[in-house]
Structures are given as structure tokens and as C-alpha cells.
Amino acid sequence: MHYVQKYLEKLPISKSNMKTNEGKKCSIFLYCNYYSFYSQKVLMALYEKNIDFEPLIVDITKGEQYSSWFLEINPRGEIPVLKVKDALIPDSTRILDYLEFYLDSDLVPLINVSKDTKVVTTINKFRELIDALPAGVITVGSFFHPHLCGSPKLPFILPVREILKTGDLSSSQNLRKLADENPKAKHILLYKAEIQDRKHELLSNEEEYLKILNIVDQVLNQIEEQLKLQPVGNWLCCENFSIADINLAVLLQRLWELGLETRFWSNGKRPLIESYFERVRQRESFKNTIPNLPQHLKMIVTAPPPVYVGAAGAVSFAVVFTVAYIFKKIIS
């Protein structure tokens, strides 16, 4: 293992997302991690808009999002956070809106991609519908109920899943300890600990987890029907790539990594989503956002097992109480 680790540490990173813009003055920074679901949405948008930015990697495998220095940036202990000059914008949805409406108006649009108000309304509808799915709960729930999934892919292979599961079970206790150590963030960290406890009650119940997967099914049904309305070559809502496509691309990637593609779209179950996923994976912004195989191997091999404990919380803190909201969106 020693020789493998040394090899991986020297492995060249060819992806543009790992550049540090050395020698260039950059005024836009993103506190993020390329394994974070919500970071991925913002990263992909930044690449789509061709925005020059500096990624500041927060090591979620070591729980760095809960370190005192980062809690000063975002007391919620969540990534991503966008920094533009002296302004700090947390939360992926807020960041995406900021990039669209408050940055340079000449940048490639991702929301107002059409003069047709019906198209923009459809984009916002699917953006909200996909946004409401609790990606963290879906992710961690698959660790507790592996028989409901097919064949997970990197980074969620069996050893990592078990370590993340163990870390997630102890996360509420760790958050309470962190709350005592960080008085300024005590309230929000205790709230997160409470959410973790309630989330575990949900995830340990297979019936409840199946309800969430069934909601994903209903959302994907709507997406498949929407794709049927589009001419060949179009994206989800129109000929232009939009924020709804970013949300869908990142969601499908996470479901694929968890081995859930066999449940949701492969083998002809939803052929339009299947072909859409293969197409969007060829997009440069997607390639720049999603970690590749060498990066997966380097992360897994070079990191000693204990550091994964912090990562569980990073992938599991999602909106737990969104079921009623999603049902309302589906019905409407």
C-alpha cells in the first residue's frame, strides 16, 4: 500500500477544476469540495458561465467544514460558499441566483435562456422540483439499505459506504461536542445534531426510505415526459442548457454513483433520461466538475479510514422534511 500511496500522491491532475490560477489575480472564490453534491451544482454553473474563479477546497473527509476558521465564514458549517470581494454568499441556490442576477449580465445565462416566458417558467419549475429532492438522505439511506440499490460506483464503493455509515451514526454526538467547542455556532450545530437524530429514525426504516425513492420515481416520470416534448438535440426545457439541466445532471450522477440507475432509468426503463445522461456527461462543464477515476483512487487510498468520519455529515445534511413540499410540486 505504501508504494501505491506514493504513486497516487504524484499522480498528475489534468482537470481544469484543480487549477489554482497561479499568477492571475482572481476576485471570485468558492469554498467547496468536488465530492459535495451541492458544490457540484455551483461548480458546474461556474464552468458553464466561463467565470474565472479560485476553488478553495474544504476537506469534508476531515470535517473541515466544522473547523473554527470555516464556522467564521459560514456558521452553519456548510459548503459551498461563494466569496466575491468582501461579500460571502452561502447556500447553493442563493449562489446560483447571485451568479445569474447580480454578477456580470453579459455572462452565459442559465435561467433567462429564452425570451419565451413559458420556457423560463418551465425551467424554474424543474429546478425547484429537483432541488427539493433530499440528495443527502437518498445518499446515506442507500448505505443502510444496500439491497435496494444495484452496483454502486466510486466513490461509494463498499468499504467507503461502511465507513461513511459508521461516521454518520456518530455525527450527532460529534456535532454536540463541536457545539460546546464553538459557542458562536452552538445554536445551529445543536439544531443540526437534532436533525441528524431525526434523520436516522427515518433512514433506519426501510418503508420510509422507499417512500423517498418513490418520490424520486415520480419526479423522474415528469422529467421523462418533459424530454418527450423536446425536439432531438434539445435539453430538458429548450434548445439551451439551463439551470434545470445542471440540477438534473448532478442528480443523475449521484443516483448513478449509488447504483440506483437500474431502478430509475437503465435497461429501457426511461430511455430519454438514459440517453440524456450519456449526453450530458460529455459536456465540458460536467467533466470539469465530477471527480475522475485517478482522483477517486487518490482520495480513497491516501486518506486513512478515520478521516471519512467527517464526510458522512457532509453528504447527509439535507432537507429531511421536504416530502410534503415535493408531493405538492408533483401534483401541481
Side-chain angles (χ1 to χ4, degrees):
M1 182 66 72
H2 171 72
Y3 297 105
V4 175
Q5 179 169 331
K6 291 189 74 174
Y7 165 75
L8 288 170
E9 287 175 346
K10 295 179 180 179
L11 200 65
I13 302 299
S14 59
K15 290 176 56 176
S16 62
N17 63 24
M18 292 301 185
K19 292 192 300 184
T20 57
N21 292 324
E22 291 183 6
K24 296 175 68 176
K25 187 175 181 180
C26 184
S27 61
I28 300 176
F29 301 87
L30 184 71
Y31 294 93
C32 64
N33 189 287
Y34 283 83
Y35 286 95
S36 157
F37 178 86
Y38 296 99
S39 291
Q40 287 173 351
K41 293 197 290 186
V42 174
L43 286 161
M44 194 169 175
L46 287 164
Y47 291 125
E48 280 290 332
K49 285 177 169 289
N50 295 313
I51 295 173
D52 183 29
F53 75 102
E54 178 79 23
L56 302 176
I57 305 302
V58 178
D59 194 342
I60 56 179
T61 66
K62 296 179 180 177
E64 195 173 10
Q65 71 273 29
Y66 298 125
S67 62
S68 56
W69 71 267
F70 187 74
L71 289 173
E72 289 289 330
I73 294 169
N74 185 4
R76 296 182 65 86
E78 296 174 353
I79 54 174
V81 175
L82 186 73
K83 181 179 181 182
V84 182
K85 297 181 180 179
D86 294 327
L88 290 170
I89 303 99
D91 183 76
S92 60
T93 300
R94 288 177 59 188
I95 294 171
L96 291 168
D97 284 342
Y98 179 88
L99 296 177
E100 185 76 7
F101 300 114
Y102 298 101
L103 214 54
D104 189 344
S105 60
D106 292 330
L107 293 169
V108 176
L110 289 172
I111 298 176
N112 295 322
V113 301
S114 173
K115 294 181 180 179
D116 188 336
T117 57
K118 291 183 179 179
V119 170
V120 176
T121 298
T122 302
I123 288 171
N124 286 321
K125 170 191 170 181
F126 280 97
R127 176 194 185 184
E128 293 175 8
L129 195 62
I130 297 167
D131 256 341
L133 293 173
V137 174
I138 295 167
T139 300
V140 181
S142 72
F143 306 157
F144 286 84
H145 308 288
H147 59 285
L148 298 177
C149 306
S151 301
K153 327 296 187 300
L154 286 166
F156 298 112
I157 57 175
L158 183 59
V160 176
R161 289 206 316 270
E162 289 303 310
I163 293 168
L164 288 174
K165 178 181 174 182
T166 301
D168 196 69
L169 287 169
S170 62
S171 59
S172 61
Q173 180 181 351
N174 293 335
L175 284 165
R176 288 184 172 89
K177 181 180 178 182
L178 284 167
D180 291 335
E181 297 171 355
N182 297 275
K184 291 183 180 179
K186 185 172 183 177
H187 176 74
I188 188 62
L189 291 174
L190 289 177
Y191 174 73
K192 282 178 171 286
E194 181 182 345
I195 292 294
Q196 279 293 94
D197 288 334
R198 298 171 76 173
K199 178 179 67 63
H200 287 141
E201 293 178 10
L202 175 78
L203 293 179
S204 61
N205 187 319
E206 182 175 324
E207 183 179 348
E208 292 300 316
Y209 185 62
L210 278 170
K211 287 180 182 178
I212 294 173
L213 295 185
N214 288 337
I215 291 174
V216 177
D217 249 322
Q218 294 181 56
V219 171
L220 293 180
N221 276 340
Q222 288 200 37
I223 290 170
E224 184 77 3
E225 291 302 312
Q226 172 65 18
L227 289 171
K228 288 179 181 177
L229 301 175
Q230 298 301 316
V232 176
N234 271 24
W235 293 101
L236 180 58
C237 301
C238 62
E239 68 274 13
N240 296 317
F241 198 79
S242 73
I243 194 70
D245 292 292
I246 287 178
N247 281 5
L248 180 56
V250 174
L251 172 67
L252 294 178
Q253 175 66 17
R254 175 56 60 92
L255 294 175
W256 177 81
E257 289 169 346
L258 297 174
L260 286 165
E261 78 281 3
T262 54
R263 178 187 185 91
F264 290 129
W265 69 79
S266 66
N267 301 319
K269 187 168 186 178
R270 291 188 176 95
L272 295 181
I273 288 179
E274 186 171 10
S275 60
Y276 175 97
F277 184 48
E278 291 306 315
R279 183 180 168 209
V280 80
R281 294 174 82 182
Q282 303 307 312
R283 203 166 178 89
E284 282 305 308
S285 61
F286 185 93
K287 294 178 181 178
N288 286 335
T289 296
I290 305 301
N292 57 26
L293 179 58
Q295 289 167 321
H296 286 322
L297 294 175
K298 186 172 183 178
M299 184 273 289
I300 291 170
V301 175
T302 60
V307 304
Y308 289 113
V309 174
V315 297
S316 66
F317 281 126
V319 181
V320 180
F321 310 107
T322 57
V323 175
Y325 172 79
I326 301 170
F327 273 127
K328 180 180 178 181
K329 285 290 181 180
I330 291 170
I331 293 170
S332 61

